Amino acid sequence: MHNFDDLIYRSTSFTLNSLEEVNSKIIEQLQTSGSTILVKNLQMVQLQKAIFAIGMFSLFDSMLQDQLVCRNGFETAKKVLKEKGNVELYNRFDEYICAINVLKHGKGKSYDALVLKFKSLPFRIKLPDERFFDEGDVSEISTLIEVNDKFVLECAEIIE
């Protein structure tokens, strides 16, 4: 098998392009019908992006554990980044690890850490007093992290 980091960006691009095709078709159909199934399908596209991001990071953690011969791939990789002085990548990696944890587990330590620095994050987090990212967006799903194409691509870039 080719390296995971070589394949992840291809896989991400393929998945996002496929989801965009489906999304565009649904939006086209919504021009003439307000069917509930169409709205559910828009939400399914958004949910698929969140599932993909979580899965990509979970698989990456497993591969890091194997390659670094450790029990916690993320913590060991962060330690290596810190030792090599790659502070920028360390910080981005940590933010995305926290974001994936929030997507998987909801509110907790990772959520609290991200809320404290929400203004400087490269993605949107739903603050404690917010119910929606964009009220009225029928495609929005109930997550604390906004998982759009940019978020998913940045997950892949960090892995790469």
Side-chain angles (χ1 to χ4, degrees):
M1 179 173 128
H2 290 278
N3 288 336
F4 182 71
D5 57 336
D6 290 337
L7 296 175
I8 196 62
Y9 201 80
R10 286 176 177 263
S11 176
T12 302
S13 295
F14 172 80
T15 299
L16 290 177
N17 286 335
S18 298
L19 289 173
E20 181 52 37
E21 282 181 35
V22 170
N23 199 65
S24 293
K25 288 177 184 175
I26 296 167
I27 289 174
E28 186 177 310
Q29 292 173 332
L30 275 170
Q31 301 307 310
T32 57
S33 169
S35 169
T36 301
I37 193 70
L38 295 175
V39 173
K40 283 183 180 182
N41 287 343
L42 282 177
Q43 292 171 355
M44 175 269 311
V45 168
Q46 294 307 114
L47 181 62
Q48 188 59 41
K49 290 176 188 179
I51 292 167
F52 186 80
I54 292 166
M56 148 181 15
F57 253 70
S58 295
L59 188 55
F60 183 52
D61 186 28
S62 169
M63 297 188 133
L64 284 173
Q65 288 174 29
D66 186 51
Q67 291 174 0
L68 300 172
V69 189
C70 63
R71 292 182 67 92
N72 188 326
F74 289 160
E75 288 306 314
T76 303
K78 285 178 8 183
K79 182 179 173 188
V80 170
L81 289 172
K82 193 177 250 186
E83 287 171 358
K84 292 187 178 220
N86 198 336
V87 177
E88 183 180 332
L89 182 55
Y90 172 92
N91 290 334
R92 278 185 61 217
F93 188 41
D94 189 54
E95 289 169 347
Y96 278 85
I97 290 169
C98 287
I100 295 298
N101 281 338
V102 170
L103 286 169
K104 290 191 316 187
H105 306 294
K107 293 181 180 175
K109 282 184 356 184
S110 293
Y111 177 77
D112 294 342
L114 292 175
V115 166
L116 289 176
K117 56 183 189 174
F118 78 95
K119 289 182 181 179
S120 65
L121 293 173
F123 50 82
R124 289 175 65 190
I125 183 169
K126 200 176 288 172
L127 298 175
D129 61 338
E130 293 178 317
R131 295 195 57 211
F132 304 100
F133 288 110
D134 294 307
E135 191 168 355
D137 179 357
V138 297
S139 70
E140 186 171 317
I141 59 172
S142 182
T143 58
L144 294 170
I145 303 293
E146 183 179 42
V147 182
N148 53 21
D149 288 8
K150 181 179 181 273
F151 179 87
V152 175
L153 285 168
E154 287 180 2
C155 286
E157 286 174 12
I158 289 169
I159 291 169
E160 242 186 337

